[in-house]
Amino acid sequence: MKLLRNERGGAALAFIIFASVAAAYLTMNLNQVLDVVSKKKKDGRINAEMDTFTRGIISYTTHALKNRWCMDDKWARSESCSGDMHEVISNKLNLERLLWSSASLTAIKQAYKNEYNKEIGFEPALDEVSTTISIKSLGELSQSHPINLSLTNTLRNCMDEVSISLKKAENSALYKSGDDRYIEIFVEAKMKDIDRCSDYNSRPYGRSLVGLFPRTLNQFAIIKGGDLDLSKYTGSESSKGLNIHAPIYVDNDLILPSSSYAPVGIYSNIHLGRGAVKSGSGNFVPKSFGGQDDQLYSTYANVKTIKRGVVFEDEVDEGIAALFGNEYYVDTSLAKKCDIWRELEENLSETRDSRLFGKLSGSGFSVGLSKTNLPISNEFKEYAFPSELVSSTKGYTVILKNDKNTVSYIDVGKSEKPIMKMDVSVPANGETAELLLARDTEFKINLNSSINFIKSKEVLTKETVTDEEFDDTYKENDFQRVVRNISSKCSDLNSKDPKVRSDKCSLVDSNFNESKSSSCASVYNDNPGAKASCESRVNAIETASNEYAEMKDESLEEIEEYLKKQPSIDFSLSASTTNITNFKVDISNKDQLNSDAYKNISDITLSLTAFDFAIENSSNYTTGRRNNEAHKPGPNELGNPNLINIKLIRNKEGVVESIKYTNAEDEELKGWTMLKRDNGFNEPPRKPMPGLFEKLSKELFMPEGGLSISESKELKEKCSGIPVNDNYSWDISFTKNTLHSWMYDVGGNGITLTETMEMQDRYLFNQSNMYPGDAGGIPNQSVTKKCIIPSDVSFIFGFYACLELEIEPRSTPLTFVGTLLVNELEISSGALTSGVNFYSIWHPAAIEKLREYKWLARRNENGELLECDSNITVWNKNISRQEQYDLRTCSPIHFVLEGPNNYNWTTVDPEIGLPESGGLVTKSKIPNRYRRFNIQTYWVETGSL
């Protein structure tokens, strides 16, 4: 019984004994346990250090990529990309070279050619940018350098170098939809192999995928000049207030109210160009820097909300201050000259209302200019010719363009000036030429067969050839076979006997014998078997080369014989000085046209441009357009050329029996027949404006007899205001003339330059203009002094630039969809009470509103507006053409394609405009070379290799 009563005590005693043993065991192993815990903590610290370092470098590199930096060899921002064009586009660490689109690359190459007068010689775009940085070298940089900030002292002492690479991502899962770019960033560190660094992994790394998208102006709801002072929009908390649902750009400061409440909600990013966030008289300072009850973005006491915070721009958009600075620079004396130059150019001589006619004449045809349907000799004489076709050193250029030797001159004529330009086309062979004709020119149109003998001759006289060069040439297959045979045998010699030269191999490879000076005998002096094999290969090349030489000599003789019999249509122009010119036409080697080689030729087309205009070297020689009137063509009409078709009439056997001449409407030239299509635009004859030439003769810069070539060329360059397709300039500045570029609708049809450009004083929004049927296009308004939104307007759509916008009191909410450029934004208290909402065209709520108003809609075959179908799978690449069209007309991309182009720029600072250096000719920066990007990080991965 005693044992039973003491069972509890025994159990307690057993536990005490067990605990004592365990404690003794733990005491004996305490150092080992502490070592394990210490190692875990050290591993955690090391991993945190490496993760911070790799993520920090990725974030810094992402920022540099977004802002198009050039980097130096220590991965700091370099200034070498701010100067010479060649320096910028050849810099191997220029991150912008990863972002250029195909359109910008084409323009860059043209701008390079314009700048340096030579082809670029390398590819401007890069697929990868990479560098390796020595950690030791970072000591030369300031401690504030992002790489230094990412390094702890321990990590700095254990890291040897870090490699950084950016590569265009090639992934089928990435759906590219335009000028978006996807870049993979890879960071890898190399650790030192020393004892104190043994805890670090030898190759820690970080990887990330980012997407970049051009940040165009139409993505902003408001672009605000000066400050955005929210204290101007105070009201009660019950007010619906000012609500901005899309990004807003502010040139200077964001000023928050310090005491009164402002019912302002900003639901997207605020981008600050050159300013800071301020409140009261100084910079804004939050009470607790993001404490639970003091979070700037959502619970700031004196505004409704600032949801997504502030983005401080890396680069200021200088165009905003220039646009709202209300300054417009123009050389007024030059503008006056340009007005008179333009007036003289547009009031042509008596020939401006004439048309070009043709008729059969003798063994050819005659061409005449006339104000009636019956050209009369000496009705008027040629006055002059366009200066751009004249070289100051060589006189006029005889052949401007010549493909495949279609045209050759016999005699360019004794006349000093050409009277017309002729474009020749032989459709059967795709041959074209462009030439100038004086009054007594003789020329011929050489008719080539389907075999290009001219090209054959050119290739056979070359020292080095490729098999592709023999395409469409004489004995094409034979020569390609021999050249390929020589190439193969030379390649075999080069691989097996790399030191042995062969002069015959220079035919297929001009660099074959570089750094080779040996023969088979000298290379294999001690190896008879190898020597014999080598000589066999050399002899095989000699044999193949001899075959080529024999074929070449034989073919050149045959080609020369052939070309002697090549048929041609020969022309000689009369030496008359009247408005009528006679073309005598003959055919050399006419019988050859009946052979199989020429039976495909049946038409030769001549397009004529007459040079009979009022002033010497008028730049506008292809149209009689006058800006102050509707388009009334002169002798030459754009899109409606003066054509003479030479038709070879063949019988059933293909033999040429006669020639017929027809005009653009395929009417045969018998009596006088107008050469272009008769579209009824021509007016009855009329004379120039009375007193025009007397008035011009009084101007010192405008001599009575017309302008000199140099004077006209200078004025054309300064006054025409018409950019040519390749008029791209690298980093040219239009900032000072920003206002010019943003007054795009002055005068209705483009910009009319006078002494100064006056902006509109007042623009009153009208609700009826907010419907597609009434607006006359996508609503927009270029720079206006004051824009007013009256109380009866509840919905506004479009793109507007206003020095001041006033929103009058109202009882209903106002919705604005689009982009507003504004310097002063005045909103009445009544409007704030009812609510004012700004959206960009890309906001989902805005898209619904635009569909409601039918700005975004489908259209049926009759043009009727239909509801947008939201069930089309936009990610499906196999949607029908109609569905593609519906998607475009139901998406904001419609306004990108059809709206004002300025809002597709990424800065208010113009992409197209007048250079600060002066003149009135519009130039262009590199198109699609975007200055601002949005960037999205898709994923970041860190670890060790």
Side-chain angles (χ1 to χ4, degrees), residues 545-570:
S545 178
N546 289 338
E547 182 183 2
Y548 176 88
E550 291 174 6
M551 286 175 55
K552 170 185 172 180
D553 293 340
E554 180 182 295
S555 296
L556 284 174
E557 289 181 9
E558 293 170 356
I559 290 171
E560 285 298 329
E561 187 64 23
Y562 178 88
L563 290 176
K564 290 178 183 177
K565 299 178 180 178
Q566 183 180 13
S568 65
I569 301 181
D570 306 332

Side-chain angles (χ1 to χ4, degrees), residues 44 251 254 292 496 524 667 677 694 891:
D251 195 33
L254 171 65
Q292 185 64 34
K496 294 178 179 177
Y524 302 108
E667 295 176 59
R677 296 191 310 275
E694 290 80 359
S891 161

